[in-house]
Amino acid sequence: MSSKNQNTAVSNEGSGFRREIGLFGGVSIIGGIMIGSGIFYLGSYVLQRSGMSMGLSLIVWILGGLISLMGGLCYAELGASMPKAGGNYVYLNEAYHPAVGFMCGFSSWLLGGAGSIAAIAIAFPKAFSTLVPISDLTVKLVAIGLIILLTAINYVGVKQGSIVQNIFMVAKVAPILLILVLGIFAGKQTPDLSPIPASSPSIGGMIGMIAFAIVASLWAYEGWTNLNIVSEEIRNPKKNLPLALIIAIVGCTVLFTLFNFAVYRVLPIDQITSMIEGGDIYLGTEVANTVLGSAGQIVVVIAMATAIFGSLNGCILVFPRQYYAMAKDGYFFKSFAKLHPKHKTPAASLIVQAIISIALVLVRDLDQLTNLVIFSSMLFNTLTIGAVFIFRKKMPDLERPYKAWGYPVTVVITLLIFIGLMINTLVEDPVTSIIGLVVPALGFVCYHFFRWYNSRQSA
């Protein structure tokens, strides 16, 4: 048997999934989720937290990318050695206890995943509000229509969903690169790239400032953990999954850093400071208007709309595979464990996810709801990185086509960074963080219920 056939046979054992996602498809899923409308405004938060130092803010963007890459390398080792649908649910399940994996997946199903889909869907029509007035009712109707449309596309096959992802990955990057290139080469400013803020903080203050700014940059890098969830549908996952993670995270790091450098080439620091103090954080939009004139606003709207559309499709494609894995293990609704007989997609998971997402679209305080799962999400990501150590000890003979570079030093550093970020989040917003643990706590109760119920049904 050829190595290609062996790979398919081993990785698809007991699964009806089709391997339709190639290397570019994997890059598109990560990049499609990571590159959103935030590229036009998140630089304001990073710059603010960097003490308005352009040089320090660019260093922070690079550090945020390096931290994401170090985490991505841990996920690459886990995904290449265990290419199963479900991603971190599978790793938490195997490394700690099935209840831990279930709490992670349940939080995503009830709020995190569906909440992200609802928030992104609402952002799409709002991107056009600068060109035409849009009522709140229209925003909700368009958001609901988008969720239904993309759910239908992903229902009929992962190939169709991946094609949409690839198309919108290219479509979103093109206008962003246009603004970036014009900004760097047509910009007339010579930015001060000194890494020392004007306030001249102490060494301790500088470290705290950098850490606070890195958290803001990580908002832009959010999304690299999701590719592992569809690893059972990636062609040659032992090679393509690590490669896709590395290419996407490094590519996004370069893109985010250069885009913010382009902002500094076009806008003088006085104008940037005035905009931020006045509440206008869309520095990227101002750059487009400056270098492209009247066409700038249209280019920005196109870039934002395509970025949001691709991000939404990526989320709808990815998350149901985690619920499928939970059900396949006997811990969730049995219908979620069934693939469509023709399309080989987790049909029931997709439909229920759409229903929950649409319900959340109708909820006013959506941001408050999704904020509740931020802390628990960070907790589960930290535990997943820790799983690298556990698997190395518990399963020393497990085939590892890719091993995290610099193990164990780099993995220890990554784990400590993620623990530090988690503590920072708890300190900055203790009430929301603690309340947010209610969702996984409810998941713990539901885990025992499903385990009892499904065991009785099987008896």
Side-chain angles (χ1 to χ4, degrees):
M1 184 183 288
S2 69
S3 60
K4 181 178 179 181
N5 289 335
Q6 283 180 340
N7 175 68
T8 303
V10 172
S11 301
N12 268 3
E13 186 177 353
S15 168
F17 282 118
R18 292 172 179 162
R19 294 201 180 278
E20 302 279 10
I21 302 173
L23 176 59
F24 184 72
V27 173
S28 295
I29 288 174
I30 304 173
I33 295 174
M34 288 173 68
I35 305 171
S37 59
I39 193 171
F40 291 96
Y41 65 84
L42 285 175
S44 296
Y45 295 119
V46 174
L47 184 60
Q48 267 187 312
R49 295 184 179 191
S50 300
M52 300 304 292
S53 167
M54 293 179 172
L56 183 59
S57 71
L58 294 179
I59 292 173
V60 165
W61 278 108
I62 295 171
L63 289 175
L66 287 175
I67 291 170
S68 299
L69 180 60
M70 290 168 70
L73 295 180
C74 294
Y75 269 70
E77 175 174 323
L78 295 170
S81 59
M82 303 178 70
K84 300 178 181 179
N88 57 351
Y89 158 76
V90 174
Y91 317 139
L92 295 171
N93 190 347
E94 295 285 343
Y96 302 98
H97 190 276
V100 179
F102 183 89
M103 287 189 288
C104 174
F106 182 83
S107 298
S108 174
W109 176 74
L110 185 64
L111 204 53
S116 297
I117 290 169
I120 296 169
I122 288 172
F124 181 84
K126 285 189 174 181
F128 295 93
S129 61
T130 55
L131 297 179
V132 292
I134 301 177
S135 67
D136 289 342
L137 177 61
T138 302
V139 166
K140 291 183 182 296
L141 290 176
V142 171
I144 291 170
L146 269 179
I147 292 171
I148 294 173
L149 171 64
L150 290 177
T151 298
I153 291 173
N154 283 280
Y155 181 92
V156 298
V158 70
K159 183 177 182 179
Q160 287 78 0
S162 185
I163 289 172
V164 170
Q165 196 69 13
N166 292 347
I167 291 171
F168 278 86
M169 178 65 184
V170 175
K172 77 164 68 177
V173 170
I176 291 173
L177 285 178
L178 175 64
I179 298 169
L180 185 156
V181 172
L182 288 176
I184 290 177
F185 292 102
K188 300 177 181 179
Q189 300 298 317
T190 304
D192 179 6
L193 298 182
S194 169
I196 309 299
S199 59
S200 299
S202 63
I203 295 177
M206 188 80 164
I207 293 174
M209 180 181 289
I210 293 173
F212 194 44
I214 285 175
V215 172
S217 75
L218 291 178
W219 295 342
Y221 289 106
E222 184 66 30
W224 53 265
T225 62
N226 291 315
L227 182 62
N228 291 51
I229 298 176
V230 295
S231 57
E232 237 175 291
E233 293 161 279
I234 297 174
R235 292 194 291 269
N236 192 8
K238 296 178 181 181
K239 176 183 177 182
N240 286 336
L241 190 145
L243 264 179
L245 278 164
I246 294 169
I247 292 171
I249 296 173
V250 171
C252 286
T253 301
V254 173
L255 182 67
F256 294 156
T257 304
L258 289 180
F259 188 87
N260 282 278
F261 178 68
V263 170
Y264 303 153
R265 284 279 294 146
V266 174
L267 305 179
I269 186 62
D270 292 342
Q271 182 180 352
I272 292 174
T273 303
S274 177
M275 285 179 63
I276 293 175
E277 289 178 349
D280 184 358
I281 59 174
Y282 283 85
L283 302 179
T285 303
E286 184 62 26
V287 169
N289 292 334
T290 302
V291 298
L292 293 171
S294 58
Q297 192 175 30
I298 296 174
V299 172
V300 168
V301 169
I302 292 172
M304 290 178 66
T306 52
I308 292 167
F309 193 92
S311 184
L312 179 62
N313 181 71
C315 290
I316 289 175
L317 186 159
V318 166
F319 293 133
R321 274 68 181 172
Q322 194 170 59
Y323 319 141
Y324 160 86
M326 294 160 64
K328 197 74 175 174
D329 289 340
Y331 302 131
F332 216 16
F333 300 107
K334 287 189 174 182
S335 59
F336 285 10
K338 298 176 182 178
L339 298 181
H340 191 282
K342 178 182 178 182
H343 307 308
K344 302 303 179 184
T345 55
S349 292
L350 277 161
I351 293 171
V352 173
Q353 174 181 259
I355 293 171
I356 296 175
S357 300
I358 289 170
L360 289 176
V361 165
L362 303 174
V363 175
R364 288 185 178 180
D365 298 325
L366 183 61
D367 289 340
Q368 293 178 6
L369 287 173
T370 52
N371 284 342
L372 291 177
V373 299
I374 290 176
F375 182 74
S376 63
S377 176
M378 293 180 73
L379 173 62
F380 292 128
N381 285 340
T382 303
L383 289 173
T384 301
I385 292 170
V388 174
F389 290 108
I390 295 174
F391 286 136
R392 289 280 188 115
K393 186 175 181 180
K394 285 177 62 176
M395 306 177 185
D397 298 326
L398 179 69
E399 182 189 1
R400 291 178 172 84
Y402 173 85
K403 293 184 178 181
W405 175 82
Y407 178 91
V409 176
T410 54
V411 181
V412 170
I413 293 172
T414 306
L415 189 61
L416 290 175
I417 290 172
F418 275 77
I419 290 173
L421 294 174
M422 192 170 64
I423 293 173
N424 181 79
T425 303
L426 182 61
V427 171
E428 292 292 327
D429 194 358
V431 176
T432 303
S433 297
I434 294 171
I435 293 176
L437 294 177
V438 170
V439 179
L442 178 61
F444 182 76
V445 175
C446 290
Y447 161 78
H448 288 285
F449 168 77
F450 278 109
R451 187 178 179 184
W452 167 81
Y453 181 76
N454 287 335
S455 65
R456 283 194 61 187
Q457 293 294 106
S458 301

